[in-house]
Amino acid sequence: MRRFAVWFPAPSLSWLFVRFPIHFAFAILLPLAACVAGDAGAQTPAGQIFGFRDFAAQARWDQSFMAVPSTSVARQELKTLTIAPHWASSPEDHTTALYVAQKFREDGLQVTIQPFRVLLNKPVSIHIEAFDASGKQIMSGPTPEHVDPTAAGGDPYQNDPRILPAFHSSSPSGDVTADVVYANYGTLADFKRLAAMGISVKGKIVIARYGENFRGIKVYIAQQYGAAGVLIYSDPADDGYKKGAVYPQGPWRPATGVQRGSVQFLPLYSGDPETPGIASTLNLPDSERITDPKKMNQPLIPSNPLSYQDAAPILKALDGPVAPHSWQGGLPFPYHLGGSGAVKVHMRLVQDYKLRTIWDVIGTIDGTDPVQRDNWVIAGNHRDAWVYGAVDPNSGTVAMLGAAQGLGVLLKQGWRPRRRIVLCSWDAEEEGLMGSTEWAEMHAEELSHAVAYFNTDVGVAGPNFDASAVPSLKKFVRQLTREVASPKGGTVYAQWLAGQQAHPATHNRQDSAHDQAGAGEAGRAARVRIGDLGSGSDFTPFLQHLGVPSTDIGSDGPYGVYHSTFDDFTWFTRFADPTFAYEQEMARVFGLEILHMADADVLPYDYRAYGREVEQYVSQAQQRAQAAGMHVDFTAATAAAARFEAAGAKMYQEQQNFPAGAGEEHLNATLRQVEEALLNPAGLPHRPWFKHTIYAPGEYTGYAAVVIPGVNEGIDADDSTRTQAQLDALSAALNHAAEVLESQAP
């Protein structure tokens, strides 16, 4: 599952480098003495890496590790993983689980395959047809995904009979005939604008284009406004021919390409719809499951995806008011809002809902430190795909396998981690983060000691590295990317920074939904900006439900075949990473995250930076509330944020100077407790599963993060009582986190 659907180009020179294979691993390793540890970019001695008293020994292990990930091995692994469609719970999906388990075993990991039983729908039949005002049929589909086999080599994977019809996971069955209304991207603002223009969607089928928010939120809002059904199509302005050449000639979405996906109401809770907060193990009694659809995180109205080839006749035939200028897409005609009866659509969806078995693959390396060995370092990527999933997710799987292979080589050389390492290949992520959520809920007690969760999903879609993280781990990510060479030349960090400087408006995998210019990371042009964690991938249950510090990394590009049949090995080797140099890069970065967190003397959390960002979040929210004319009191929250920042600054100094020996156990335990202290046990209003007071997916965004979500969403709702209550909850959490940090004071 991807967090966003827009790609921004890197400097054009970068494409020169991707054309040339890198044959020798050691040729691109950098001298560790040149590692840059400071935020400003100056060279500093390797011994000053945050979290290590003396980095020299770790630097040698890092060099040995980075020599291992291989472009040729990565190519073969991706080809094997994508040889067949492997939708979650399918026999082919199980085959990939066995493959990953075998690779982990070969690398010396202890391996468990953990099954869960979760509610999944599989399409039996999908039929959508449209009629004009005279009753003439103008579309019947969906049209199968297909490109000309004689054009630019075609696509050898497109005709596999195991490919499922394009569908939405979590959509109910339905047989609906109704007028059609065009709702642009289907955001809350779009639906409000339709209402303001006198266009009602009640009892109608809404057609909206992908982008701007999570697809499930489009259905969530449409249902609230009384729609009878939803169609979501890929507009060529967003990822089709308006972006450039379409597949197979280029990387962008062809006319029949369809974006599959889940329409689960992800901002309510993730995982198995019937078991929020409970692991859906094979032996879980049915009596402990939710069976009332109205109490689940799934829509009650049917929805389905469409290609722009199938959407075009519907949109072209709509009449009524001309859509606003900003709502016009890339199809070659004026868009109208409809709703007047000029077009009727018949949706007949038959879904087979049942409890199906999925398989997480868990590989572990035990820790050796008598005190910290049970403080887990967890790293994960999902394995299931809508069809072949070369980019999403198996480019990430290959990066994880490359990291595992490097760890295996270190084990043979005598290295052992201080903390336990847990590598996780998740299943059924695409249906709603099911494998990761059920496993996290199953291990909630042990995860109270976990020191980090590192995620990669879309590992490699192109050459442009990016990352999101909790603020305490942003310095950590910056430092280790200075250690890894980039195929473009220099370090990953240097190329990352150059890309952001060349395209300053397009940074970050996850921008905060309430980010403002000058806020948080803004204004620090001398270092890369790292995004906030919203949702849409497997870090969600770890951070936002259980309070485990998390990061998410990936490498982006012109990825126009997201969630389509065409996200296959052929597309990947033509457009994403022909030489597999970026797979090698990602394996190195992912692996260094694991190595450094597993072996750090003092956990490398920067709560000074965390406090600064929270102070700015509170200040911005206060400005928003004042602009809205709300009468709420920010005094306590402002004071709590300042206290948290001050405590974080003192802790930062202590971390840098803490002597070896007695007291280290208490220091690390204190550091780990802070993120968990930022949870509110009561959770967010309307969605108590989400407990983090600083970051959550927006109720009406789904992917993008909303910072201090309880407060900001209270302001959005113009609800002073709710906003004040959430300010009080935020103040309590920040004071709790500050108290934890202050408990370490001499």
Side-chain angles (χ1 to χ4, degrees), residues 348-378:
R348 187 174 70 249
L349 313 181
V350 180
Q351 309 279 4
D352 175 22
Y353 266 95
K354 66 171 64 173
L355 293 176
R356 291 181 159 90
T357 301
I358 60 171
W359 306 273
D360 289 345
V361 182
I362 311 298
T364 61
I365 302 172
D366 285 340
T368 58
D369 187 300
V371 173
Q372 299 191 75
R373 61 190 177 192
D374 291 328
N375 297 340
W376 297 358
V377 177
I378 307 160

Side-chain angles (χ1 to χ4, degrees), residues 296-311:
M296 296 183 193
N297 62 346
Q298 294 186 305
L300 302 175
I301 60 174
S303 70
N304 211 73
L306 286 180
S307 65
Y308 57 81
Q309 176 171 305
D310 284 343

Side-chain angles (χ1 to χ4, degrees), residues 65 97 206 327 363 574 675:
F65 167 80
V206 168
W327 291 28
R574 289 179 186 172
E675 194 77 52

Side-chain angles (χ1 to χ4, degrees), residues 366-375 416-420 598-601 664-665 668:
D366 285 340
T368 58
D369 187 300
V371 173
Q372 299 191 75
R373 61 190 177 192
D374 291 328
N375 297 340
R416 295 294 184 273
R418 298 182 66 183
R419 302 174 180 90
R420 174 180 288 188
D599 285 337
D601 299 306
E664 187 176 289
E665 175 186 356
N668 282 319

Side-chain angles (χ1 to χ4, degrees), residues 475-606:
K475 180 184 181 76
F476 172 78
V477 174
R478 290 189 187 101
Q479 285 193 330
L480 64 89
T481 55
R482 289 184 171 106
E483 191 176 332
V484 181
S486 168
K488 304 175 190 177
T491 64
V492 171
Y493 181 89
Q495 292 295 340
W496 186 11
L497 179 60
Q500 289 189 359
Q501 290 174 334
H503 302 277
T506 62
H507 64 278
N508 287 353
R509 296 170 67 74
Q510 279 281 300
D511 286 323
S512 159
H514 289 292
D515 192 24
Q516 299 179 15
E521 295 280 299
R524 305 177 191 270
R527 65 183 187 185
V528 295
R529 299 176 67 180
I530 298 177
D532 299 325
L533 292 165
S535 189
S537 199
D538 291 304
F539 55 79
T540 294
F542 293 93
L543 173 63
Q544 293 151 346
H545 185 61
L546 296 174
V548 180
S550 300
T551 72
D552 182 43
I553 63 172
S555 189
D556 301 325
Y559 179 34
V561 296
Y562 169 59
H563 283 192
S564 76
T565 292
F566 307 118
D567 183 1
D568 58 26
F569 187 78
T570 296
W571 186 94
F572 186 91
T573 53
R574 289 179 186 172
F575 303 111
D577 190 10
T579 67
F580 284 75
Y582 292 96
E583 282 288 355
Q584 186 181 56
E585 172 190 279
M586 287 302 301
R588 289 169 173 161
V589 175
F590 198 55
L592 288 191
E593 285 193 296
I594 298 165
L595 278 171
H596 287 195
M597 189 60 72
D599 285 337
D601 299 306
V602 175
L603 291 171
Y605 305 143
D606 182 357

